[in-house]
Amino acid sequence: MKQISILALFLAASLSLMAQSNKKPNGKGLIPGFRTMTWGVHIDSTMKNGRKVTFLKSNTISDPNAYVLENEDMTIGTVTLNNIYYYFTDRGRFTKVMMVADKKYFADMKYILSYKYDDVQAPQISKTSNGSTVYQWTVDDVRITLTDGSADGFMTVTFFMDFNLHEFKIINSGVSDF
């Protein structure tokens, strides 16, 4: 009986540690990218279902690093998106995705993001000058921003990973000179 109690205690502790390790803020791979695209992938190396993806310059956003995909799946859970914009650095590395939807989907998107990331970090909440509410999570090197769209009727979700900073962290954490 004593052995069974010890085994049960060991099993419970192991499961608890595994659950915590999957939600650790500085763990690796919590947000590897968006859909099938990993952060930092080069714009010319992006594949989907074994085929090279071709990005088109966005004609609705003036940022020269903003792109869209033809025939994109415009749903996230129960949210129907109006647009998905992919951003690449000047060196062509994937660094950001911005999703735009009607404000009526704000509660659904807030639920999705809270369900996925509140255990890692409670969101920081702020108001903008135009009255919009902004929720922000930071998970590893990825900043997630949800804006309710009070001013324009559209909510936005942005996932941003500073790929240059991420590369520098990798290089500098491997220093063996001292």
Side-chain angles (χ1 to χ4, degrees):
M1 186 67 167
K2 186 177 179 183
Q3 291 175 337
I4 292 174
S5 296
I6 292 172
L7 181 61
L9 183 62
F10 177 74
L11 181 61
S14 297
L15 289 173
S16 175
L17 287 174
M18 287 188 329
Q20 288 176 3
S21 69
N22 287 336
K23 297 178 187 237
K24 195 184 300 182
N26 292 316
K28 296 191 187 285
L30 286 176
I31 306 177
F34 180 75
R35 294 190 170 160
T36 61
M37 292 178 48
T38 57
W39 300 120
V41 67
H42 195 273
I43 191 168
D44 294 331
S45 303
T46 306
M47 304 290 282
K48 186 175 185 179
N49 298 327
R51 303 178 107 186
K52 186 178 177 305
V53 174
T54 302
F55 290 93
L56 307 171
K57 288 266 190 193
S58 170
N59 58 8
T60 56
I61 292 185
S62 61
D63 187 325
N65 296 322
Y67 294 84
V68 295
L69 288 174
E70 285 185 320
N71 303 317
E72 178 74 61
D73 175 8
M74 299 301 272
T75 58
I76 301 285
T78 59
V79 176
T80 301
L81 302 168
N82 297 352
N83 295 307
I84 301 175
Y85 300 102
Y86 296 90
Y87 292 81
F88 295 83
T89 66
D90 293 336
R91 297 181 322 193
R93 300 291 185 173
F94 176 52
T95 190
K96 176 177 160 182
V97 63
M98 182 173 71
M99 298 169 274
V100 180
D102 292 335
K103 184 179 176 168
K104 68 182 181 183
Y105 293 111
F106 175 78
D108 293 344
M109 186 59 78
K110 184 175 179 283
Y111 175 83
I112 292 167
L113 294 170
S114 295
Y115 181 79
K116 291 187 74 67
Y117 303 117
D118 275 5
D119 286 348
V120 178
Q121 179 207 31
Q124 295 176 346
I125 303 168
S126 60
K127 292 270 186 191
T128 63
S129 59
N130 65 9
S132 292
T133 302
V134 178
Y135 294 81
Q136 182 173 303
W137 295 261
T138 302
V139 181
D140 286 337
D141 290 335
V142 179
R143 186 178 63 237
I144 307 153
T145 306
L146 170 64
T147 305
D148 72 359
S150 290
D152 60 9
F154 294 99
M155 64 117 214
T156 60
V157 178
T158 304
F159 284 75
F160 172 72
M161 202 270 218
D162 186 338
F163 190 72
N164 291 333
L165 178 62
H166 181 72
E167 281 185 313
F168 295 152
K169 282 182 175 182
I170 290 171
I171 292 168
N172 291 335
S173 65
V175 169
S176 61
D177 298 311
F178 46 85

